[in-house]
Amino acid sequence: MTHPILEISGLDVFAPGADGPRQLVFDSTLSVGRGEAVGLVGESGSGKTLTVRAVAGLLPDGFTTRGAIRVDGQELAGLGRRAVRELRARRIGMVFQTPRAHLNPLRTIGDFLTEALVHVAGASPADAGRRARALLDEVGITDPDRRMRQHPGELSGGLLQRVMIAAALAMDPEILLADEITTALDVTTQEEVMAVLAELRERRELSLLFITHDLALAGAVCDRVNVMQHGRIVETLPAATMRRDATQAYTRTLMAAALDEAPPIVAEAGTAAPPILRLEGIRKSYRLRDARGRADTLVAVDDVSMELARGGSLGIVGESGSGKTTAARILLGLETADAGRIEVAGEDWSRPARGGRGRRHRAKLAQMVFQDPYQSLDRRQTVEQCLREAIRVHRPRAERAALDARIAELMGHVRLDPALLGQRPRSLSGGQRQRVAIARALAADPELLVLDEAVSALDVTTQVEILTLLDTIRRETGLALLMITHDLTVIRRLCDQVVVMRQGRIEEHGTAEAILDAPQADYTRLLLDSIPREGWTPRRRRLGRTGSLATVTRSTVIPD
Amino acid sequence: MSVAQIAGGAVPTVAKRAARRDWLFRGALVVFGLIALAALLGPWIAPYDSSALYVGPVNGASSLAHPFGTDDVGRDILSRVLVGAGASVFAPIVVVLLSTVLGLGLALTAAWFGGWVSGVVARVVDVIFAIPGLVIAVLAVAMFGKGLVAPVVALSIAYIPVVARLTQTAAARELGKPYLAALRVQGVSSLAICFRHLVPAMIPVVAAQMAVGFGYAMLDLAAISFLGLGQQPPAPDWGSMIAGGQAGILAGAPEQSVFPAVFVVITVLAVGIIGARVTLWAEEKER
Amino acid sequence: MPPLTRTVLARLGGMLLTLFLASVVIYSAVLLTGDPIAALAGGAKPTPELIEQIRAAYHLDDPLWSRYWQWLTSAVQGDFGRSFVYKTEVMTLLAPRFGLTLQLVLLTVLIILVFGVGSGVVAALRGGAVDRTVAVLTSLGMALPTFVVAILLIWIFAKSLGWFPVYGEGGGGWDRVWHLVLPAVSLAVLFIAYLSRVTRSALVAQVHSEHVETARVRGIPRSRIFRVHVFRNAAPQILAISGTTIAGLFAASAIAEVAFGLGGIGSLLVQAAARADLPVVQIVSLLLVTIFVVLNAIADLCSALIDPTSVAGGKAA
């Protein structure tokens, strides 16, 4: 009988604590057979990453484990340190979430690829170089000679992740541990990386332990899926039939976050009234330096026009570098457009407001919710102080009782327990923080709310809650929503109109129904096809981006 | 001399670990409290007049009457150490306050106006950084003459680059955070953003820098008086006592140098431990 | 232009501008306050004729900027003017003293690098009790200023044990080294502690970095991880701070020179300041600033050279 390649049984992981060890993973048991792909799915804090780190020997200092980890039948605990290191080096390959941080910035790609071959396997540098080029070719990276000489800073995230995979394959391991390897990537890049992985598995009979928060993705690429919650594996399901077989409520909640659950929102008819927002020919470019230090111009937003009806909800979809966030920041006066016209509620907002009165006036019309609620709240303010400040801006002479009543009303709007008023952001959960941020935005009773990736930093179950909340608020108050997102699932739940942006330009716009169910532009189709779902197979659709995209570093300077 | 100039970098983690030990921190607080008390009450608690000659033997060793011995003109060293604590403790406080005000002012000016103003500020800071603290002190002595004023002014200027760069980095980091953009979108006025959010956010960093800077200022001031450019005799001062006692060492009476030296070291150690603790607190505030 | 050349030129330009501005500060600060005529007259009550002579000899009637320009151009050509106090060329005062300071600094640098970087590396590598011991020692070292160490060394090694000479610079060769050991140690202690901590924290940051995690998971031998991924990546930071430390030693050596009665440029500067010998103060200050700025720029460039990623985003010094 052959052993599974990887067998974890009864694994407990403990973190060191001031009063004794704290258990974070409870009795984790799973196995990965030869050539099999197994998913380990859970939200943040579920213990999935700790489990795989225990296998790779990368637990932080002071962490302890109980239970058994066997690689090809060999119990790790029974081997000497040297033997364990050899076993891990040769039999296991590991790929991480953030390739940029996991590559030494001072060493070239070539150094990185050949290092293990030369210094662990004892190959000659020339052989190792040949092998490295072959590996780059295997993961679909063109022009390997040039890549070998480049530094990580010169490559895009998707390319770096493929370099990581190539490096992990250098020692011909039997199993690949992939820890959230596509989470930091755009959805189309995710598909490419997953396609590369699928090809490799087929060609090499590679086993895979795939850690992700995305149940649909795991279901699409794995044979079996383990669902993990609060440090425990709650359910193990065959991927093909997981929709039918799932018995745990938690698994069902995770599934419900998938795309094709909800039908798109249909705009209510009769929008003859003038729009709350009109953008015309907006353009914005930045001067910056590319990876080699040469001056370059990046056109972040290029001739963008759109309209949003009063009480409507418009989604702007795009991948990183599409200019969607810049467009929103221009609208709210956080950046100045080079050209174009912005109209909100019939007023000309083409230039940022000058002076306090102008800014306060605009604040009453349009508000914004940011991506990371922890960063967008002042960590020194309690929830109450934060809301009080937001209300006081517009009602400087209001009585204390009136402010208290308004705070209570806002907390009710966002369904937050008033008991949380005395808390600071640090002690709130991600979902609670984002509710506070929304309540703060509603304080001014705006007519337009801009949501910049407002749910993408949250766990899927929390995302659903926040999106439902936003939709309710929109229906109750007639607030118009402008949702900026990379995630089409979000659009489906919240928007009636959609604009698809790519590299600063609008690719397509129309009703949510039309865009999601009958897209016209190739790029929209590509975006839709890249979303993992049941029966989805990743395909390589285009050549990888060659260089790292120049990034804009914003420093928000206070004007006046 | 240049320790303060190079100390703008990361505070080493060893110090942090030491700072977590509470008994050490409490001990440092007690020691510093006692020395501060001596600084305040020195002339009243000193057993002898610190400038009175021949109250004991010349180059006397430690004895019951003179626990720290007596110097080459028979002055009581314990009394001189106690009275000297005043200048040794308060002068660094003035240096820290002045350099913080000046450095903060420059950094905030640069951050607020940006553009060419921040370019000019950066150049001014560069030029000050280029002149070693001792050279600034010497120039100040040439301008104001010997005494306590010149070194204090000199070090206040010499420490500007450390404070300015540190605050500028902290301010830039804070300005990049979305919560400030969120406040602007809410219509909060720029002044309110600056004084209700930005300035409070930087207090821990500045406080930590002040605590650490105090230790350096104390060392540097003592060094300047050791060189004979600071507090002038007969006023007692730890640095000049150490220098003056060198002849005593060769005459077999090390007390007159060693006791003030011990006080310098103990004070700087205590301040260092307190500074590490404040830094740790500042970093925890950051999170 | 290749990015590296541009970085080098930008830093060179920044360095020259800084130096120029610093020279203006040094020249004007001293002249604004001191009374050169009183100093030149050597204490005697100057007669009007003498004042006239001095004014003419030192061009005191020319506008400030013109005198500054004359001073700077002569200084750059090696004409450092005459000392008010010694009544000789500043150059003849400076040359032998500079040699002595240079020797003292070199010996100190050797001690600092060996013990400072060495103990930092050991602390980071070994951890545990070794790390804690080094931590306690560096905490103590950071509180031991040069003048305190100097009097302790004089007391213990020179006076009580008699192993080393107490004062003076001795003759040439080994006798000179013999005389410089205690001064160098006294100068080094504080900086050893500082550099040890910097080295340790730079290394520890790399040890815990994610790219080192990758190397560990790939089974790269420990010694190679340390050399290639940890030390190599921490080197730019260690080098930059060592550079600033060493650059500052030329000024800091004054304390050791005074404590041990050595005739170096530091003690010359202190004596000149005490006696208001303005030409000497100006020239020595300018010299110290130049050394500080140039050494810092060199350290900066070396860090840039070993860190290819810093070139693109590099900032002028």
Side-chain angles (χ1 to χ4, degrees):
Chain A
M1 188 200 136
T2 55
H3 307 284
I5 290 295
L6 173 68
E7 212 179 346
I8 301 173
S9 59
L11 179 73
D12 297 331
V13 178
F14 301 89
D19 21 80
R22 212 154 34 89
Q23 189 164 7
L24 296 177
V25 173
F26 302 83
D27 193 24
S28 190
T29 300
L30 65 87
S31 74
V32 184
R34 207 167 287 274
E36 202 178 21
V38 173
L40 187 55
V41 182
E43 297 185 318
S44 49
S46 64
K48 57 187 194 303
T49 290
L50 284 178
T51 304
V52 72
R53 286 190 156 249
V55 175
L58 289 179
L59 287 176
D61 288 344
F63 275 59
T64 49
T65 60
R66 220 162 43 194
I69 298 169
R70 281 182 286 272
V71 175
D72 203 7
Q74 282 182 289
E75 164 90 50
L76 290 189
L79 297 170
R81 268 174 61 169
R82 205 188 168 79
V84 171
R85 202 183 73 201
E86 277 286 302
L87 191 75
R88 281 178 177 140
R90 289 174 186 277
R91 314 295 287 273
I92 299 177
M94 180 147 183
V95 187
F96 300 88
Q97 174 173 357
T98 46
R100 205 171 293 287
H102 278 92
L103 280 162
N104 186 340
L106 301 189
R107 314 271 303 163
T108 63
I109 302 298
D111 291 338
F112 176 62
L113 286 167
T114 54
E115 188 176 24
L117 290 167
V118 173
H119 296 279
V120 181
S124 76
D127 285 345
R130 267 194 296 281
R131 179 98 175 86
R133 280 183 198 85
L135 285 166
L136 284 180
D137 189 55
E138 199 175 345
V139 296
I141 290 179
T142 52
D143 201 358
D145 287 316
R146 187 165 66 93
R147 297 294 177 211
M148 296 273 285
R149 287 192 303 272
Q150 284 180 313
H151 284 93
E154 299 171 64
L155 269 60
S156 70
L159 270 182
L160 284 182
Q161 198 56 292
R162 284 194 270 170
V163 168
M164 285 294 289
I165 295 174
L169 295 175
M171 304 291 282
D172 292 313
E174 271 123 18
I175 181 166
L176 210 56
L177 309 178
D179 184 9
E180 297 270 18
I181 61 171
T182 58
T183 309
L185 304 177
D186 278 329
V187 62
T188 53
T189 318
Q190 161 171 294
E191 187 180 15
E192 284 168 38
V193 170
M194 293 315 301
V196 167
L197 214 52
E199 282 170 28
L200 289 172
R201 285 193 48 220
E202 201 168 321
R203 198 173 328 130
R204 291 173 168 254
E205 284 198 1
L206 192 65
S207 306
L208 179 67
L209 180 59
F210 190 75
I211 288 86
T212 179
H213 65 283
D214 186 344
L215 183 59
L217 178 63
V221 299
C222 297
D223 303 313
R224 253 178 311 123
V225 174
N226 297 280
V227 179
M228 206 164 179
Q229 185 192 18
H230 305 322
R232 289 190 167 80
I233 294 181
V234 293
E235 195 161 25
T236 305
L237 297 162
T241 57
M242 66 176 186
R243 292 198 157 259
R244 208 184 54 221
D245 296 352
T247 58
Q248 297 289 319
Y250 181 65
T251 315
R252 297 212 160 273
T253 320
L254 287 181
M255 279 175 187
L259 175 72
D260 39 353
E261 291 288 296
I265 292 172
V266 180
E268 286 131 49
T271 47
I276 179 81
L277 166 70
R278 194 206 304 272
L279 298 184
E280 260 172 52
I282 299 294
R283 192 185 148 85
K284 172 83 187 170
S285 57
Y286 295 98
R287 269 203 303 273
L288 39 83
R289 293 193 182 283
D290 66 10
R292 289 169 167 275
R294 289 173 303 217
D296 201 358
T297 304
L298 173 79
V299 181
V301 179
D302 191 2
D303 194 20
V304 163
S305 307
M306 62 185 80
E307 261 183 28
L308 169 58
R310 278 179 197 273
S313 60
L314 172 67
I316 305 181
V317 193
E319 297 183 295
S320 50
S322 65
K324 55 188 192 302
T325 293
T326 308
R329 293 178 66 91
I330 290 171
L331 159 63
L332 287 159
L334 294 172
E335 311 260 347
T336 311
D338 301 341
R341 185 179 163 80
I342 304 162
E343 225 176 77
V344 176
E347 298 171 17
D348 181 9
W349 282 24
S350 304
R351 315 288 309 166
R354 304 220 31 97
R357 186 182 297 175
R359 282 231 308 275
R360 278 196 296 279
H361 171 71
R362 289 191 185 186
K364 277 197 77 64
L365 286 170
Q367 278 297 323
M368 182 159 178
V369 177
F370 294 79
Q371 170 168 4
D372 180 350
Y374 189 52
Q375 293 276 317
S376 67
L377 298 170
D378 188 338
R379 60 185 180 279
R380 283 168 302 276
Q381 280 186 324
T382 63
V383 174
E384 184 176 353
Q385 287 167 340
C386 170
L387 294 180
R388 193 175 294 277
E389 182 176 26
I391 301 166
R392 246 183 211 288
V393 172
H394 305 288
R395 293 198 245 163
R397 272 173 291 279
E399 304 243 329
R400 197 183 166 82
L403 289 181
D404 287 342
R406 179 69 177 139
I407 289 172
E409 190 186 358
L410 287 171
M411 294 292 276
H413 267 324
V414 296
R415 290 17 172 207
L416 267 182
D417 184 352
L420 295 175
L421 277 173
Q423 303 287 317
R424 290 197 165 75
R426 195 175 176 173
S427 50
L428 299 176
S429 72
Q432 287 168 338
R433 287 173 194 156
Q434 200 59 300
R435 281 168 200 263
V436 174
I438 293 170
R440 179 179 63 180
L442 295 177
D445 248 329
E447 293 181 40
L448 169 64
L449 185 59
V450 179
L451 303 147
D452 183 10
E453 297 277 15
V455 296
S456 43
L458 307 173
D459 280 329
V460 275
T461 46
T462 320
Q463 277 190 15
V464 174
E465 288 168 22
I466 297 287
L467 290 174
T468 314
L469 173 72
L470 286 168
D471 196 46
T472 317
I473 292 173
R474 179 174 80 91
R475 286 171 199 282
E476 284 172 4
T477 63
L479 175 73
L481 299 178
L482 179 64
M483 180 89 201
I484 284 114
T485 182
H486 69 283
D487 186 352
L488 283 161
T489 322
V490 170
I491 298 288
R492 186 177 285 269
R493 288 179 179 278
L494 202 62
C495 303
D496 50 32
Q497 298 280 326
V498 182
V499 167
V500 180
M501 283 186 73
R502 183 196 189 192
Q503 290 171 10
R505 294 182 152 276
I506 293 185
E507 287 278 320
E508 186 174 9
H509 60 93
T511 64
E513 231 179 341
I515 300 261
L516 293 177
D517 294 340
Q520 298 301 305
D522 290 340
Y523 180 67
T524 314
R525 268 200 290 275
L526 177 66
L527 274 185
L528 280 166
D529 288 346
S530 305
I531 299 171
R533 60 194 167 272
E534 213 177 349
W536 176 77
T537 26
R539 283 188 291 154
R540 271 155 79 170
R541 295 164 201 277
R542 51 162 194 179
L543 291 173
R545 238 182 236 140
T546 47
S548 145
L549 271 186
T551 45
V552 184
T553 38
R554 288 198 183 82
S555 53
T556 26
V557 182
I558 303 179
D560 287 358
Chain B
M1 266 310 135
S2 44
V3 178
Q5 297 188 324
I6 51 187
V11 173
T13 42
V14 218
K16 284 188 229 159
R17 217 186 302 147
R20 268 200 200 97
R21 278 186 230 129
D22 253 331
W23 55 267
L24 199 61
F25 175 61
R26 285 198 205 114
L29 276 184
V30 169
V31 167
F32 185 73
L34 288 176
I35 286 168
L37 213 63
L40 281 172
L41 305 175
W44 291 280
I45 53 174
Y48 298 90
D49 176 352
S50 66
S51 314
L53 306 181
Y54 305 110
V55 295
V58 169
N59 287 340
S62 295
S63 64
L64 270 179
H66 304 282
F68 289 4
T70 45
D71 68 8
D72 54 343
V73 285
R75 291 176 294 195
D76 180 56
I77 293 170
L78 173 62
S79 305
R80 291 180 66 74
V81 166
L82 288 175
V83 175
S88 305
V89 171
F90 291 121
I93 292 179
V94 176
V95 169
V96 165
L97 289 178
L98 262 179
S99 61
T100 304
V101 168
L102 293 173
L104 257 177
L106 277 180
L108 286 181
T109 310
W112 192 268
F113 292 103
W116 65 271
V117 177
S118 82
V120 169
V121 168
R123 184 54 63 189
V124 168
V125 168
D126 275 355
V127 170
I128 298 174
F129 182 76
I131 311 179
L134 179 73
V135 176
I136 299 186
V138 166
L139 291 175
V141 168
M143 287 170 83
F144 299 94
K146 296 176 197 172
L148 211 48
V149 179
V152 166
V153 171
L155 290 182
S156 304
I157 295 172
Y159 290 180
I160 286 177
V162 180
V163 179
R165 286 179 182 171
L166 192 87
T167 359
Q168 235 171 339
T169 323
R173 194 175 50 223
E174 209 62 27
L175 282 169
K177 287 187 180 166
Y179 81 89
L180 291 175
L183 288 165
R184 290 183 54 207
V185 172
Q186 282 171 63
V188 180
S189 73
S190 296
L191 270 181
I193 292 179
C194 185
F195 288 104
R196 277 218 301 269
H197 297 273
L198 185 59
V199 171
M202 287 164 50
I203 285 174
V205 179
V206 174
Q209 168 58 32
M210 286 173 83
V212 173
F214 179 85
Y216 290 123
M218 185 153 180
L219 284 187
D220 283 351
L221 281 170
I224 290 168
S225 4
F226 177 83
L227 293 176
L229 301 177
Q231 182 96 306
Q232 292 302 298
D237 174 284
W238 294 350
S240 53
M241 286 172 77
I242 296 170
Q246 260 184 285
I249 292 181
L250 299 181
E255 286 90 346
Q256 39 193 299
S257 269
V258 170
F259 278 110
V262 165
F263 271 75
V264 169
V265 173
I266 287 178
T267 315
V268 172
L269 260 180
V271 169
I273 292 166
I274 296 169
R277 177 57 168 258
V278 177
T279 308
L280 187 72
W281 166 76
E283 279 170 12
E284 273 169 5
K285 281 268 163 184
E286 246 332 281
R287 253 177 263 130
Chain C
M1 216 189 302
L4 188 63
T5 320
R6 198 175 48 209
T7 312
V8 171
L9 286 181
R11 288 189 189 185
L12 210 62
M15 185 187 91
L16 287 177
L17 182 58
T18 304
L19 265 181
F20 170 73
L21 293 173
S23 73
V24 172
V25 171
I26 288 168
Y27 189 80
S28 49
V30 173
L31 275 203
L32 280 177
T33 53
D35 182 1
I37 295 174
L40 286 166
K45 189 160 168 54
T47 60
E49 296 83 62
L50 186 56
I51 293 178
E52 251 345 279
Q53 273 178 0
I54 293 171
R55 280 188 172 279
Y58 288 89
H59 306 285
L60 292 183
D61 292 323
D62 292 352
L64 186 65
W65 64 266
S66 131
R67 275 185 288 149
Y68 162 75
W69 190 246
Q70 225 169 1
W71 172 74
L72 187 70
T73 44
S74 339
V76 169
Q77 288 161 15
D79 173 9
F80 291 170
R82 291 175 69 85
S83 159
F84 289 173
V85 173
Y86 295 92
K87 311 285 186 197
T88 55
E89 291 289 321
V90 176
M91 188 56 142
T92 52
L93 287 173
L94 211 55
R97 288 178 168 82
F98 181 74
L100 184 75
T101 299
L102 188 65
Q103 289 165 352
L104 175 60
V105 168
L106 286 179
L107 189 60
T108 311
V109 167
L110 191 73
I111 298 174
I112 291 176
L113 288 183
V114 169
F115 290 94
V117 176
S119 64
V121 168
V122 170
L125 266 186
R126 284 296 174 84
V130 176
D131 192 12
R132 282 194 294 277
T133 310
V134 173
V136 170
L137 289 179
T138 54
S139 297
L140 190 64
M142 296 282 281
L144 285 173
T146 300
F147 54 93
V148 165
V149 182
I151 63 121
L152 291 180
L153 292 180
I154 290 173
W155 176 31
I156 298 168
F157 291 99
K159 168 71 179 149
S160 302
L161 298 172
W163 292 356
F164 290 93
V166 180
Y167 291 123
E169 50 248 41
W174 283 110
D175 190 43
R176 173 62 58 82
V177 176
W178 192 238
H179 278 80
L180 290 184
V181 168
L182 291 188
V185 170
S186 70
L187 193 49
V189 168
L190 190 85
F191 297 106
I192 290 175
Y194 180 66
L195 205 58
S196 168
R197 289 180 164 202
V198 167
T199 305
R200 181 195 172 277
S201 66
L203 292 175
V204 167
Q206 289 297 327
V207 166
H208 291 142
S209 73
E210 287 160 314
H211 70 85
V212 166
E213 198 165 73
T214 314
R216 275 169 54 201
V217 115
R218 299 176 80 202
I220 310 294
R222 269 180 69 100
S223 63
R224 182 175 163 85
I225 292 185
F226 183 76
R227 262 185 304 118
V228 175
H229 297 291
V230 174
F231 195 75
R232 178 75 172 64
N233 284 41
Q237 197 191 344
I238 297 172
L239 190 71
I241 291 177
S242 306
T244 310
T245 308
I246 292 168
L249 280 180
F250 280 88
S253 79
I255 301 161
E257 289 170 15
V258 169
F260 289 92
L262 302 174
I265 50 169
S267 50
L268 177 66
L269 178 66
V270 172
Q271 287 156 12
R275 298 184 199 168
D277 193 351
L278 300 187
V280 177
V281 169
Q282 287 171 338
I283 288 297
V284 177
S285 299
L286 187 66
L287 181 67
L288 287 173
V289 170
T290 311
I291 292 171
F292 186 74
V293 171
V294 169
L295 286 182
N296 259 319
I298 291 174
D300 252 21
L301 279 179
C302 291
S303 320
L305 282 179
I306 56 176
D307 179 359
T309 55
S310 80
V311 173
K315 194 175 145 284

